[in-house]
Amino acid sequence: RNILMNFVFRALLTVTVLSLPVNAAHSADFSGTATVIDGDTFVVAGKRVHLYGIDAFEEGQTCQWRNKTVNCGHLSATGLMDLTAGAHVKCTPVSENKDGSIVAKCSTGDIDLSLNMVHTGWAFVDRKVTKNYIAVEAKSRAKGRAMWSGSFEKPWVWRAKHAHAAN
């Protein structure tokens, strides 16, 4: 009987521990004004946040747009700045990246920032994480919004090439 109770106790303890957030300090919603770092990352309430479900161009990443070479990373960041300028940003943590940044679903009022970055054509859906914004991305692409009206390398391909070149 003691062996059975010990087993049940350990099983319940394991389930309880596994159901806890990755980092309890990041589990509560937080909000404030945002300082944009790039097209999918900003700092709000002193926390570095990566927007859930999207991947945007990196700073310094160029693409062909309107018949010229432009810094799409900068344009993507500017798109996020437009969405957050003067706004109160509210974030709900989802997980934590290896670098310690918080992956979160964030909004300004009723505007989902990830969805809007995909809608405006300055971010891609991160299909490894979500399928939620795929229809929005398809519509943005069909309408030729922002990056979809030019030619580019997807951010994850660009990062892989530049990480390899740096090594």
Side-chain angles (χ1 to χ4, degrees), residues 41-123:
T41 312
F42 53 80
V43 175
V44 68
K47 297 173 169 80
R48 185 179 173 105
V49 178
H50 178 86
L51 286 170
Y52 170 80
I54 68 170
D55 195 357
F57 294 110
E58 298 296 330
E59 184 60 41
Q61 183 177 353
T62 60
C63 59
Q64 297 300 310
W65 192 54
R66 296 187 177 169
N67 300 318
K68 58 185 169 184
T69 301
V70 296
N71 183 339
C72 276
H74 179 74
L75 292 173
S76 181
T78 301
L80 185 55
M81 283 180 210
D82 288 346
L83 293 173
T84 60
H88 186 80
V89 178
K90 180 181 177 188
C91 296
T92 301
V94 174
S95 63
E96 188 174 313
N97 280 330
K98 292 175 193 167
D99 67 1
S101 64
I102 300 165
V103 177
K105 294 179 180 181
C106 300
S107 61
T108 57
D110 61 352
I111 298 170
D112 176 335
L113 295 176
S114 295
L115 181 138
N116 208 282
M117 286 298 289
V118 172
H119 168 79
T120 56
W122 288 119

